[in-house]
């Protein structure tokens, strides 16, 4: 076994087994696990899920790793994403709850018609979503009506998600440790909050790839609507002891369909029916 600079044996990145009732947080080398994810993503290689390496990789462990990964990235956080809000896709991925991750100043960009490169991402997929920007800070005590008043604008968006774990096989905790699979958020034109009234849960979406209709979705699929998803996120951040949302933050509320596999050369269009949200499209560079 390797030794540290002071002559002591270096702690392994993760144990083969954790005693019953004990969290990995107290036993893993959080820095080493976060560094493994960070280096793998930068190198474009995949790794074995941590949940497959031993018992006990739990939610607290994943939050601790994600916190360290945020420090390694060293990028200003401009908001949050909430993933797996769409209950209809939980059985496809073996999960049973949402998760959250960071949006950064380099991962959020406007759709401008320029072909988008998928080269930095591992097994990339696309998710059509409703994003928003906060005018004021929300609090856990707020109901959905009060939360709606905190929103400055809504926008149609594509989130590019990817998996450092081969074949998109993982647990919810593996995903949370990686930053909720976030790769990039591509924003369409913003629409002022006042234009929406109660349209968000009732919206329908049509997703096309290379001109063919490939999926449909509804606003109500994301935890009963985007504002319900925001309420869940505010509560989850508080429960995890994470920094709360602030005025000016961007939030993307979760996919309206299953994540769509995409490849260079593909053209994807999303139509947000019966809402003020614009149709958006992206072409992926060869």
């Amino acid at each position: 076994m390797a030794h540290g600079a002071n002559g002591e044996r270096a702690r392994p990145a993760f144990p083969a087994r954790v005693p019953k009732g004990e969290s990995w947080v107290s036993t893993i080398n959080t820095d080493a696990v976060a560094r493994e994810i960070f280096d793998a993503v930068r190198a474009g290689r995949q790794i074995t899920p941590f949940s497959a390496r031993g018992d006990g990789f739990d939610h607290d462990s994943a939050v601790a790793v994600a916190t360290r990964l945020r420090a390694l990235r060293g990028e200003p956080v401009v908001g949050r994403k909430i993933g797996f809000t769409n209950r209809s896709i939980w059985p496809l991925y073996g999960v049973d709850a949402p998760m959250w991750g960071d949006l950064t100043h380099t991962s959020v960009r406007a759709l401008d018609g320029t072909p988008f490169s998928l080269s930095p991402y591992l097994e990339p997929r696309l998710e059509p979503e409703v994003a928003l920007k906060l005018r004021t800070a929300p609090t856990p005590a707020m109901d959905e009506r009060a939360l709606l008043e905190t929103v400055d604008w809504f926008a149609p968006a594509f989130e590019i998600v990817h998996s450092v774990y081969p074949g998109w096989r993982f647990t919810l905790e593996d995903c949370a440790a990686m930053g909720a699979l976030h790769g990039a958020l591509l924003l369409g034109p913003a629409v002022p909050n006042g234009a929406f009234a109660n349209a968000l849960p009732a919206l329908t979406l049509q997703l096309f790839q290379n001109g063919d209709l490939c999926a449909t979705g509804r606003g109500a699929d994301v935890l009963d609507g985007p504002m319900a998803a925001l309420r869940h996120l505010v509560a989850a951040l508080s429960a995890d002891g994470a920094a709360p949302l602030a005025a000016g933050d961007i939030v993307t509320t979760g996919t309206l369909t299953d994540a769509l596999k995409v490849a260079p050369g593909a053209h994807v269009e999303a139509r947000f029916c019966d809402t003020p949200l614009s149709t958006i499209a992206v072409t992926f560079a060869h």
Side-chain angles (χ1 to χ4, degrees), residues 165-230:
Y165 313 111
W168 277 67
R169 295 186 177 276
F170 40 58
T171 65
L172 195 65
E173 292 75 21
D174 292 319
C175 296
M178 187 195 163
L181 308 179
H182 178 65
L185 183 67
L186 311 178
L187 291 171
V191 178
N193 179 10
F196 281 85
N198 297 318
L200 289 170
L203 76 83
T204 58
L205 175 127
Q206 296 177 325
L207 189 66
F208 297 82
Q209 183 165 207
N210 300 328
D212 297 324
L213 178 65
C214 57
T216 60
R218 304 175 304 148
D221 289 337
V222 290
L223 294 181
D224 302 321
M227 298 315 298
L230 177 61

Side-chain angles (χ1 to χ4, degrees), residues 130-143:
V130 175
L132 59 89
K133 184 176 181 179
L134 293 169
R135 177 171 44 84
T136 58
T139 67
M142 290 179 173
D143 61 16

Side-chain angles (χ1 to χ4, degrees), residues 20-221:
K20 186 175 182 180
E22 187 173 353
S23 170
W24 269 30
V25 170
S26 61
T27 56
I28 65 169
N29 183 334
T30 303
D31 286 352
V33 174
R35 172 62 70 177
E36 183 177 351
I37 296 172
F38 180 74
D39 289 344
V41 171
R42 286 205 305 176
R45 60 179 174 80
Q46 293 175 303
I47 59 177
T48 301
F50 299 101
S51 60
R53 305 186 192 188
D55 296 337
F57 190 62
D58 59 13
H59 176 80
D60 290 344
S61 308
V63 171
V65 170
T67 299
R68 181 57 188 146
L69 184 60
R70 181 181 308 120
L72 286 173
R73 287 172 174 154
E75 298 179 25
V77 174
V78 300
R80 295 315 199 319
K81 67 154 288 183
I82 180 167
F84 289 134
T85 54
N86 192 325
R87 299 185 187 97
S88 69
I89 67 172
W90 286 359
L92 301 177
Y93 299 98
V95 302
D96 58 4
M99 59 178 177
W100 61 270
D102 296 330
L103 306 178
T104 71
H105 82 297
T106 59
S107 72
V108 178
R109 63 196 73 183
L111 281 165
D112 59 5
T114 303
F116 183 81
S117 175
L118 294 170
S119 60
Y121 309 108
L122 298 155
E123 296 188 48
R125 300 188 182 190
L126 173 146
E127 298 180 341
E129 309 197 5
V130 175
L132 59 89
K133 184 176 181 179
L134 293 169
R135 177 171 44 84
T136 58
T139 67
M142 290 179 173
D143 61 16
E144 290 177 32
R145 181 177 301 220
L147 285 170
L148 184 60
E149 295 301 313
T150 71
V151 176
D152 184 13
W153 51 251
F154 293 93
F158 291 132
E159 186 183 10
I160 306 302
V161 288
H162 66 145
S163 176
V164 75
Y165 313 111
W168 277 67
R169 295 186 177 276
F170 40 58
T171 65
L172 195 65
E173 292 75 21
D174 292 319
C175 296
M178 187 195 163
L181 308 179
H182 178 65
L185 183 67
L186 311 178
L187 291 171
V191 178
N193 179 10
F196 281 85
N198 297 318
L200 289 170
L203 76 83
T204 58
L205 175 127
Q206 296 177 325
L207 189 66
F208 297 82
Q209 183 165 207
N210 300 328
D212 297 324
L213 178 65
C214 57
T216 60
R218 304 175 304 148
D221 289 337

